[in-house]
Amino acid sequence: MSTVNASVGPAHPQVVVLVGATGDLARRKLIPGLFHLFHIGFIPDCRIVGLSLEDLSVDEFVKHCRSSLEDFYRRGGSHSNIPEDGWKAFAERLDYVALSQGAATLEQSVARAERDIGGETRRLHYLSVPPSAALSTVQMLAEAKLVEGSRVIMEKPFGIDHASAVALNKAVHEVFSEEQVFRIDHFLGKEPAQNILAFRFANGLFEPLWNRNFIDHIQIDVPETLGLETRASFYEGTGAFRDMVVTHLFQILAFVAMEAPVTLDAKAIIEEKIKVFRSMLPIQPSDVVRGQFTGYTNLDGVPLDSDTETFIALKCSIDNWRWAGVPFYLRTGKQLAEGQRIISIAFREPPKSMFPADSGVGALGPDHLTFDLADASRTSLSFYGKRPGPGMKLDKHSLQFAMDETKHIGEVLEAYERLILDAMRGDHTLFTTAKGIEQLWKISAPLLESPPPVSAYPPGSWGPNAVHQLISPHAWRLPFERTWRQANCD
């Protein structure tokens, strides 16, 4: 195990209780992520106790973890060979408890892990479980006397409305203090999302323009090509708004819209995010388009008369001095034409043009600053420029930058890796708070109480046609008329 990066990790060895250790998320992301953090030396030492429904022996769980790495451990954009020295050390630190064995067995396993490490340790509980199992898991951790000196990561959704969110937080706080709770949003763990803060607050060029005087509207667009074949029954009780908007897109909106924090510590950033949420006007049903892809009701677990949206687009407003009058348009959905994750800032066009009518000015819309939130982490600034040759013809050009053009691309952590590491360090910067999530459910109440009907859309499209009326007189930034240029790393 490398120790060259130990200074960026937690100060103490970690005992990780991975609840739902045999589930899909653990297999795809959490086990490979924990292995990577351990192998490159970001964690001084660790023990991992898997907890799940399956009645496995420790050896069987070790084999499960090895299979997970063989299928999903990637570095450099492809499947990597698993470093055998790192795997041997990691495998020796694995243990497993079946849920049926109860809290006492779990308590013994964690105590054994702490004795093996020796010295001062910290506990991290990762609850990779359905929302219906979250509170019973919290109670089991309390029965196992594993609350003191621990932190707990919770997966979305954090309630389904304001009342349920308040009740959930109250029940969790009976066991864990708010300082111990880390509500995870993997979107904010991505390098591109964090780069928004650097872009805004480290550059004197853009921050003076970041307001209603220069920005016309903003789009946050996260279409997905994926369907719901394996999780339709879960999704039926959730829908696109609860699954994506409250827990992901609103969090990205806060990074885009927040005022400059006094410092970059967690408390200051969280305060500014909550100010954004408090300034948001309630979401009106008339500003929302809901859709459902054709064939959704044929999936297992979905009733034929389902009103659950698999697509949603909405307009929201922030009622403060910086953003008054600037609409924010959000869109996401399943089985759409492309899988993209972008933020697009549309700047106001000049109040008057002195160019000839046939010059091309305005033909391709306003200038845009676009952030690609995919792992490539690209940024583009579009502008009009003169076409070479006689006359005054203008074309749209762009300045583009991709993170993989830098020499540091190999140092990027995947989202779950970054967030697990932050939770181990006690850093709440990229996590959602109880106050924040409750406020978001509060402003969502008008929509949840009177949702507009869903409209059908064909798989592979961009959603119901009404999305164009929602954003009119503007246009959706996706699909792009121009393509991202390929990075040249020579």
Side-chain angles (χ1 to χ4, degrees), residues 307-325:
D307 188 49
T308 298
E309 79 279 355
T310 62
F311 169 97
I312 192 163
L314 62 148
K315 179 175 71 172
C316 50
S317 302
I318 300 174
D319 191 24
N320 61 20
W321 277 56
R322 182 182 290 266
W323 297 114

Side-chain angles (χ1 to χ4, degrees), residues 61 98 117 121 161 206 224 253 262 266 299 307 327 366 412 450 463 465:
F61 180 60
I117 293 175
T121 62
D161 54 22
F206 292 104
E224 297 181 291
L253 181 150
V262 177
L299 299 177
D307 188 49
V412 172
S450 302
N465 289 332

Side-chain angles (χ1 to χ4, degrees), residues 476-490:
W476 290 101
R477 186 79 169 127
L478 290 175
F480 284 131
E481 293 183 1
R482 296 176 304 283
T483 59
W484 293 95
R485 67 174 174 83
Q486 295 300 311
N488 182 5
C489 300
D490 296 338

Side-chain angles (χ1 to χ4, degrees), residues 28 88 139 198 213 251 325 381:
R28 289 175 176 271
K88 182 179 179 181
Q139 290 299 326
N213 295 321
Q251 304 300 322
L381 176 63

Side-chain angles (χ1 to χ4, degrees), residues 227-280:
L228 292 163
E229 288 76 9
T230 61
R231 57 193 294 259
S233 58
F234 159 77
Y235 199 85
E236 174 60 19
T238 306
F241 182 77
R242 292 182 172 96
D243 184 51
M244 288 292 292
V245 176
V246 175
T247 52
H248 293 326
L249 273 62
F250 279 162
Q251 304 300 322
I252 294 294
L253 181 150
F255 268 23
V256 174
M258 63 189 279
E259 297 295 327
V262 177
T263 66
L264 278 181
D265 66 24
K267 183 177 180 180
I269 291 176
I270 289 170
E271 285 178 354
E272 296 303 333
K273 286 176 60 181
I274 291 178
K275 287 179 184 177
V276 172
F277 298 150
R278 288 173 176 164
S279 299
M280 292 175 66

Side-chain angles (χ1 to χ4, degrees), residues 59-79:
D59 287 343
E60 288 172 328
F61 180 60
V62 171
K63 291 179 181 177
H64 172 83
C65 292
R66 175 72 188 204
S67 173
S68 172
L69 297 184
E70 290 174 350
D71 290 341
F72 298 107
Y73 180 66
R74 296 179 177 90
R75 278 300 174 265
S78 62
H79 289 279

